[in-house]
Amino acid sequence: MHKQILDVSKRRGIMYPSFEIYGGVGGFYDYGPIGSRIKKNIEDLVRRYYIIEEGCFEVECPTLSPEAVWVASGHVSSFSDLMTECLKCGEPYRADHLIEEHTGKSCEASDMSAMDELVKEYKIKCPKCGGGLDRVYSYNLMFQTFIGPGKNKEVAYLRPETAQTTYLGFRRLWEIARKKLPFGVIQIGRSFRNEISPRQGMIRLREFNQAEIQFFVEPDGKYSPRFDTVSAIKAKVIDKEGRESSLTLKEAVEKGIVKLQMIAYFLGRSLQLFKEMGINPEALRLRQHKDEERAFYSTDTWDIEYMSSVFGKIELVGVSDRTDYDLSAHMKLSKQDMTVNYEGRKFIPHVVEVAYGIDRPFYCVIESCYREEGDRVFFSFPEDIAPYKAGVFPLVGKDGLPEKAQQVFDLLKKEGLYVFYDEGGSIGKRYARADEVGVPICVTIDYETLEDDTVTLRDRDTKKQDRVKIDGLCKAIVR
Amino acid sequence: MHKQILDVSKRRGIMYPSFEIYGGVGGFYDYGPIGSRIKKNIEDLVRRYYIIEEGCFEVECPTLSPEAVWVASGHVSSFSDLMTECLKCGEPYRADHLIEEHTGKSCEASDMSAMDELVKEYKIKCPKCGGGLDRVYSYNLMFQTFIGPGKNKEVAYLRPETAQTTYLGFRRLWEIARKKLPFGVIQIGRSFRNEISPRQGMIRLREFNQAEIQFFVEPDGKYSPRFDTVSAIKAKVIDKEGRESSLTLKEAVEKGIVKLQMIAYFLGRSLQLFKEMGINPEALRLRQHKDEERAFYSTDTWDIEYMSSVFGKIELVGVSDRTDYDLSAHMKLSKQDMTVNYEGRKFIPHVVEVAYGIDRPFYCVIESCYREEGDRVFFSFPEDIAPYKAGVFPLVGKDGLPEKAQQVFDLLKKEGLYVFYDEGGSIGKRYARADEVGVPICVTIDYETLEDDTVTLRDRDTKKQDRVKIDGLCKAIVR
């Protein structure tokens, strides 16, 4: 299936590797004309959930930030992977991945010398050229550059996450929120990780898109007044000991598996969101971070993973208790006060973070919605996610039908709808082309239209055809 | 006026300098909770014009690209400013700006040695510390970094414009467009210029947002079938010789001042767009690039400039004939064929580019819409640009009014509208707060509401109040 999805993606402009004419560079993808619409719709759906429904603020901060930000956050000292390079051809490898691939076992070693030992013990060579491997060393995953020219230039990094840039503005956001807790702040934008050797298509990108939400709360305020709206959602749950179960979110909280009700709430909201995007809910599971993988300051962290038939497990969102760790760190380095006086107490707010990728859910939408029915290939995108609301076709290219179809097309455009016009080839071919990019409705203008101002609506999923008046067309399309 | 705008911007979360807690870095701004909504609305309006109405494709490409891209485009060799630094304090200066500030005349010198001569002749010292100045040298404005680790890492740059990254995908886009000309491709996203010493707030950013549209056309196809829809628009025009006149676009084309009808068309569309954003049309003028400022390959290039009371002239969009220059350059370096066979001819398509900034129009919207009426301060944002569609207020915080107001609030949110709820302080204070961020309509729930399900609508600009049924509220708000 993967090959077919990639083929249609490239051919029809969903997504394709960047810089192809210069031989490509791993970890970069373009969103094409169809993909960019789907991505935009995914982002707007996230905005609806978090800005309209949850009442969050949105901010947009630079992706390039001075060094101090990443010193405070800990990324300069410890956002790194252990790597080795071939002494002969120079090919770089993530040391743990190389050891795992060679031994077939998960790599238990976590420091450089232990990994060096394993490379020696198993006589691991460069998989590409057979050359010997250099010593394992620590490699920081941030892209470094300099702001400003000459002697006064400052070290800067492309952000590896949006979260820190949101925290920097906390004092302003606190004032804008009129000094009340809780409040949430979403940031949707690019982040960057200079991966050593990305080989998983859109799943591991060096430049990627995120939607990260920071909820600033009282230290003992990690619950949601709307938990009952999601508490009955049932999900596959894997706890930090690796135990699997199928539980409602209510049960997961009551049994103490999910420690904070607020985390359970946003896991529930995320399940709703992914379903609404068109991601197969059966392929999703909640996974708690193990003690050793969780950040030391966090009391609890959960991911939602999608089980892909191509890439295996894909992390789509992380929901975590970040406590007052980040604000405290910035307060310490910047000497700016991050404490608040609220309801008679003075404290540094805690943060519960809901951190979505955008590119990964995008891929999972594509994979989940791909359908083959005999010769027919289509994407069953939900209407709010589909790249176009409708296609408009004259049945034939003569007898005034194209002119009438143009009028209908103009009418829909005036309503601000993303629609397209197609008069090339047989009507069957045009349906097939629309199916291939998941357009939910095709509107055909035929001879009857000239007589009674009705058009044919053809449904993508059922292939059923209906006639409606042009008058009621908008309502029939935006259901 | 500028100080008031900046004050309200910071206080209410429209925009503010980034990294304030670390002392700030010139050329970086955050969009706050209010600004991010306005910016999003501006971008969506651009999308409506170019994707829905002009039928363009949208793409999203990486901001980080390997060196070859910028070698081909000419940016590695010549995207630079001449600069000097203080030998004592290290402060960097753009040499031409420094000479202009010192002499009060525009700097005619354009090479390093001529500028060195002027620095000597006028005995120019560091304005900051009085120290001597170093020799003038050429400084490339791209941010450089490396992709990948170790010995095999590749030089890369943050893109200084989106356009080149759109061109890279031309072969794919040509297929997606089903091998027909013309077609347009818009890209909205971040770009980066490592300015020597940016000092103009949002007007000269090191990380900025663009919306650049590339129209791929036949070499002799630089006209628009819809020119008559804009030809009657009258504008202030400054031609390349500096002659000013007030002309319709039709006259400007007929007199040969604007050489290409397609350029005139998009100047007209841009005037419509800026007006719809809320930018004062009286402050706009069309300016033709002088022969010496225009790229050597371009037959004609025009800007639309906004005359700001604070910053002077601000370039909002550039419309230019880029010929086959860029595609040819990438063809030469990449050895990939960029020619097309179209209607019996084989050629490299030409490009007409419409290149918008986003941050600058954003600032001009803010400046244009700022109003002071006695004590009252408000922004007269157009409804499609305003950060919220409406505010919802209970008249008082008791007697069931907050509960009723919440119901109304929920009703509007269910329609997907960006609205906010406020029950803090007197109703007058709440109107004033809504005015301050340009909310067009306030909805007040009072005792009458409990009786007859009507609410008060208060109009921002006229302060007029109307009563409407809750039933018809959505329609009354989304006018």
Side-chain angles (χ1 to χ4, degrees):
Chain A
M1 187 181 76
H2 189 51
K3 198 190 160 307
Q4 287 94 308
I5 292 182
L6 285 189
D7 282 352
V8 72
S9 284
K10 289 181 183 180
R11 186 163 42 79
R12 296 303 307 277
I14 296 175
M15 67 214 179
Y16 34 81
S18 306
F19 321 123
E20 287 178 308
I21 63 169
Y22 290 110
V25 181
F28 295 91
Y29 263 76
D30 282 15
Y31 285 94
I34 297 295
S36 68
R37 296 257 58 70
I38 296 169
K39 171 175 180 275
K40 175 77 168 32
N41 291 339
I42 287 174
E43 290 174 346
D44 281 350
L45 188 61
V46 173
R47 284 193 172 93
R48 179 158 73 78
Y49 266 62
Y50 284 93
I51 306 179
I52 296 181
E53 296 175 10
E54 299 293 338
C56 293
F57 295 145
E58 183 171 3
V59 296
E60 266 198 44
C61 304
T63 58
L64 192 56
S65 339
E67 188 174 33
V69 177
W70 310 108
V71 169
S73 70
H75 285 82
V76 167
S77 60
S78 49
F79 186 63
S80 43
D81 280 343
L82 297 179
M83 68 167 283
T84 180
E85 286 166 283
C86 175
L87 289 163
K88 209 168 132 196
C89 73
E91 185 72 14
Y93 298 98
R94 243 181 86 163
D96 56 344
H97 286 180
L98 190 65
I99 292 165
E100 283 171 10
E101 276 166 33
H102 188 88
T103 64
K105 293 184 291 193
S106 77
C107 174
E108 302 293 334
S110 62
D111 66 23
M112 291 179 252
S113 56
M115 288 199 190
D116 271 336
E117 282 306 310
L118 288 172
V119 169
K120 257 186 225 160
E121 188 186 329
Y122 289 102
K123 299 192 173 64
I124 304 176
K125 300 287 173 194
C126 171
K128 203 172 153 195
C129 81
L133 294 169
D134 206 347
R135 294 193 66 150
V136 173
Y137 68 95
S138 175
Y139 164 73
N140 193 293
L141 294 168
M142 287 193 293
F143 288 98
Q144 192 193 59
T145 187
F146 298 93
I147 296 172
K151 301 185 213 59
N152 282 6
K153 68 186 175 191
E154 289 185 53
V155 173
Y157 294 94
L158 288 169
R159 67 182 178 193
E161 60 175 34
T162 69
Q164 298 301 325
T165 61
T166 301
Y167 301 142
L168 298 181
F170 174 72
R171 291 304 317 178
R172 291 220 172 273
L173 295 166
W174 169 246
E175 301 279 337
I176 291 160
R178 304 210 328 251
K179 304 184 181 178
K180 286 208 179 75
L181 294 178
F183 68 91
V185 184
I186 185 170
Q187 187 169 178
I188 301 179
R190 299 276 174 98
S191 294
F192 301 79
R193 299 187 190 191
N194 199 359
E195 299 284 353
I196 291 170
S197 183
R199 287 193 187 93
Q200 286 184 285
M202 289 198 77
I203 304 310
R204 194 162 293 276
L205 293 175
R206 282 168 162 155
E207 178 170 348
F208 53 99
N209 296 277
Q210 297 186 294
E212 294 189 315
I213 305 109
Q214 317 302 318
F215 287 96
F216 297 96
V217 301
E218 294 179 80
D220 51 5
K222 294 165 191 169
Y223 52 84
S224 166
R226 290 181 299 277
F227 180 62
D228 60 350
T229 63
V230 302
S231 60
I233 295 175
K234 205 165 183 166
K236 191 170 166 186
V237 172
I238 301 179
D239 73 9
K240 62 183 180 176
E241 315 294 345
R243 286 178 296 234
E244 294 191 25
S245 50
S246 180
L247 294 171
T248 65
L249 291 170
K250 189 162 183 246
E251 288 164 345
V253 170
E254 282 173 359
K255 292 186 179 186
I257 298 174
V258 180
K259 288 192 194 157
L260 298 167
Q261 196 216 48
M262 192 168 181
I263 287 184
Y265 175 67
F266 286 111
L267 290 171
R269 290 291 281 157
S270 298
L271 290 171
Q272 290 176 329
L273 174 63
F274 293 141
K275 191 175 169 188
E276 206 163 331
M277 282 182 195
I279 295 176
N280 175 14
E282 300 296 316
L284 297 176
R285 61 183 202 186
L286 315 183
R287 191 182 69 80
Q288 188 173 33
H289 279 210
K290 293 175 188 157
D291 286 336
E292 62 273 23
E293 105 190 83
R294 197 177 63 237
F296 71 90
Y297 50 80
S298 178
T299 61
D300 202 9
T301 300
W302 286 78
D303 291 341
I304 298 182
E305 295 175 340
Y306 171 87
M307 301 309 292
S308 160
S309 56
V310 178
F311 294 108
K313 64 180 181 188
I314 299 174
E315 181 196 326
L316 299 184
V317 63
V319 184
S320 63
D321 176 22
R322 292 182 76 141
T323 68
D324 62 357
Y325 179 78
D326 302 282
L327 288 183
S328 297
H330 287 297
M331 176 164 157
K332 204 171 155 192
L333 192 67
S334 72
K335 314 272 188 256
Q336 302 294 311
D337 189 15
M338 297 289 179
T339 58
V340 302
N341 275 299
Y342 185 60
E343 300 201 332
R345 291 192 298 170
K346 189 176 155 77
F347 58 89
I348 295 174
H350 278 217
V351 169
V352 170
E353 183 190 49
V354 186
Y356 296 97
I358 293 292
D359 316 282
R360 289 176 177 189
F362 174 93
Y363 172 78
C364 296
V365 167
I366 301 291
E367 189 181 298
S368 291
C369 293
Y370 182 78
R371 299 281 180 277
E372 288 183 6
E373 280 183 13
D375 279 353
R376 194 162 93 97
V377 163
F378 68 101
F379 286 102
S380 64
F381 299 130
E383 288 175 24
D384 286 346
I385 296 298
Y388 296 99
K389 289 285 179 203
V392 179
F393 313 149
L395 182 66
V396 292
K398 57 180 183 179
D399 299 334
L401 294 185
E403 292 74 13
K404 186 74 185 171
Q406 275 289 348
Q407 285 172 22
V408 172
F409 183 49
D410 288 341
L411 183 90
L412 297 175
K413 289 199 291 184
K414 275 219 178 89
E415 292 295 318
L417 299 178
Y418 285 84
V419 288
F420 71 97
Y421 179 86
D422 188 359
E423 61 171 88
S426 72
I427 195 77
K429 261 206 177 137
R430 283 178 270 166
Y431 285 155
R433 273 201 296 265
D435 283 347
E436 228 177 28
V437 295
V439 178
I441 293 167
C442 294
V443 179
T444 302
I445 283 74
D446 53 25
Y447 290 102
E448 225 177 303
T449 311
L450 300 179
E451 285 166 28
D452 63 3
D453 259 3
T454 61
V455 294
T456 301
L457 294 194
R458 182 259 196 184
D459 182 273
R460 173 197 64 201
D461 297 336
T462 64
K463 295 193 281 179
K464 264 183 62 180
Q465 306 203 356
D466 250 338
R467 277 200 93 81
V468 301
K469 280 263 179 200
I470 289 174
D471 262 0
L473 186 55
C474 266
K475 267 200 186 150
I477 286 174
V478 187
R479 291 182 280 209
Chain B
M1 186 180 79
H2 189 51
K3 199 192 159 305
Q4 286 94 308
I5 293 181
L6 285 188
D7 282 352
V8 72
S9 284
K10 288 181 182 179
R11 187 162 41 80
R12 296 302 307 277
I14 297 174
M15 66 212 179
Y16 34 81
S18 306
F19 321 123
E20 286 178 309
I21 63 169
Y22 290 110
V25 181
F28 294 91
Y29 263 76
D30 281 14
Y31 285 94
I34 297 296
S36 68
R37 296 256 59 69
I38 296 169
K39 170 175 182 275
K40 175 75 168 32
N41 291 338
I42 287 174
E43 289 174 347
D44 281 350
L45 188 61
V46 173
R47 284 194 172 93
R48 199 185 86 206
Y49 266 61
Y50 284 92
I51 305 178
I52 296 180
E53 295 175 11
E54 299 293 337
C56 292
F57 296 144
E58 183 172 3
V59 297
E60 266 197 45
C61 304
T63 58
L64 192 57
S65 341
E67 187 173 34
V69 176
W70 309 107
V71 169
S73 70
H75 286 82
V76 167
S77 61
S78 50
F79 186 63
S80 44
D81 281 343
L82 297 179
M83 68 167 281
T84 179
E85 285 167 283
C86 174
L87 289 163
K88 208 167 132 199
C89 75
E91 186 72 13
Y93 298 98
R94 244 181 85 162
D96 56 344
H97 286 180
L98 191 64
I99 291 166
E100 283 171 9
E101 275 166 35
H102 188 88
T103 63
K105 295 185 288 196
S106 80
C107 174
E108 302 293 334
S110 63
D111 66 23
M112 289 179 254
S113 56
M115 288 199 190
D116 272 336
E117 282 306 312
L118 287 171
V119 169
K120 257 187 225 161
E121 188 186 329
Y122 288 103
K123 298 191 174 65
I124 304 175
K125 301 285 173 193
C126 172
K128 203 172 152 193
C129 79
L133 294 169
D134 205 347
R135 296 193 65 150
V136 173
Y137 69 95
S138 173
Y139 164 74
N140 194 292
L141 295 168
M142 287 193 293
F143 288 98
Q144 191 193 61
T145 188
F146 298 93
I147 297 172
K151 301 184 214 55
N152 281 7
K153 68 186 175 191
E154 288 184 55
V155 173
Y157 295 95
L158 287 169
R159 65 182 180 194
E161 60 175 36
T162 68
Q164 297 301 326
T165 61
T166 301
Y167 301 142
L168 298 181
F170 174 73
R171 291 304 317 178
R172 291 219 173 272
L173 295 166
W174 168 246
E175 300 279 334
I176 292 161
R178 305 212 324 251
K179 304 184 182 179
K180 285 208 180 74
L181 294 177
F183 67 92
V185 184
I186 185 171
Q187 186 169 177
I188 301 180
R190 298 277 174 97
S191 293
F192 301 79
R193 298 186 191 191
N194 199 0
E195 299 284 353
I196 291 169
S197 183
R199 289 194 186 94
Q200 286 184 284
M202 289 198 78
I203 304 310
R204 194 162 292 278
L205 293 175
R206 282 169 162 154
E207 179 170 348
F208 52 100
N209 296 276
Q210 298 185 294
E212 295 188 315
I213 306 108
Q214 318 302 320
F215 288 95
F216 298 96
V217 300
E218 293 179 82
D220 52 4
K222 293 165 192 171
Y223 52 82
S224 167
R226 290 179 299 275
F227 180 62
D228 60 351
T229 63
V230 302
S231 61
I233 295 176
K234 204 166 185 166
K236 191 169 167 188
V237 172
I238 301 179
D239 74 8
K240 61 183 181 177
E241 314 293 347
R243 287 179 296 236
E244 292 190 26
S245 49
S246 181
L247 294 170
T248 65
L249 291 171
K250 190 162 182 242
E251 289 163 346
V253 171
E254 282 173 359
K255 292 186 180 188
I257 299 175
V258 180
K259 290 193 194 153
L260 298 168
Q261 196 217 48
M262 192 168 179
I263 286 185
Y265 175 68
F266 286 111
L267 290 171
R269 290 292 281 156
S270 298
L271 289 172
Q272 292 176 327
L273 174 63
F274 293 141
K275 191 175 171 188
E276 206 163 331
M277 283 182 194
I279 295 176
N280 175 13
E282 301 297 315
L284 297 176
R285 62 184 202 187
L286 315 183
R287 190 182 70 79
Q288 188 172 35
H289 279 210
K290 293 176 189 154
D291 285 338
E292 63 272 24
E293 108 191 82
R294 198 178 61 238
F296 71 90
Y297 51 79
S298 178
T299 61
D300 201 10
T301 301
W302 286 78
D303 291 340
I304 298 182
E305 294 176 339
Y306 172 87
M307 301 309 291
S308 160
S309 55
V310 178
F311 295 109
K313 64 179 182 189
I314 299 174
E315 179 195 328
L316 298 185
V317 64
V319 184
S320 62
D321 175 22
R322 294 183 74 141
T323 67
D324 63 356
Y325 179 78
D326 301 282
L327 288 183
S328 296
H330 288 297
M331 178 163 154
K332 203 170 156 194
L333 193 66
S334 72
K335 314 272 187 258
Q336 302 293 312
D337 188 15
M338 297 287 180
T339 57
V340 301
N341 276 298
Y342 184 60
E343 300 199 334
R345 291 191 298 169
K346 189 175 153 81
F347 56 90
I348 295 175
H350 279 217
V351 168
V352 170
E353 183 192 48
V354 186
Y356 296 98
I358 292 293
D359 316 284
R360 290 175 177 188
F362 174 92
Y363 172 78
C364 297
V365 167
I366 302 291
E367 190 181 295
S368 291
C369 293
Y370 183 78
R371 299 281 180 276
E372 288 183 7
E373 279 182 14
D375 279 353
R376 196 161 91 99
V377 163
F378 68 101
F379 287 101
S380 64
F381 300 129
E383 288 176 25
D384 285 346
I385 296 298
Y388 296 98
K389 289 285 177 202
V392 179
F393 312 149
L395 182 67
V396 292
K398 56 180 183 177
D399 299 334
L401 294 185
E403 291 75 13
K404 186 73 185 173
Q406 274 290 347
Q407 285 171 22
V408 172
F409 182 50
D410 288 341
L411 183 90
L412 297 175
K413 289 198 292 181
K414 275 218 178 87
E415 292 296 317
L417 299 178
Y418 284 85
V419 287
F420 71 98
Y421 178 85
D422 189 358
E423 62 171 87
S426 73
I427 195 78
K429 265 210 173 132
R430 283 177 271 166
Y431 285 155
R433 273 201 296 265
D435 283 347
E436 228 177 26
V437 295
V439 178
I441 293 168
C442 294
V443 179
T444 302
I445 282 76
D446 54 23
Y447 290 101
E448 225 177 303
T449 313
L450 300 180
E451 284 165 28
D452 63 3
D453 260 3
T454 63
V455 294
T456 301
L457 293 196
R458 183 259 195 185
D459 183 273
R460 173 196 64 201
D461 298 337
T462 63
K463 294 194 281 179
K464 263 183 61 179
Q465 305 203 355
D466 250 337
R467 277 201 92 81
V468 302
K469 279 266 181 198
I470 290 175
D471 262 0
L473 186 57
C474 267
K475 266 198 188 151
I477 287 175
V478 187
R479 291 181 282 207

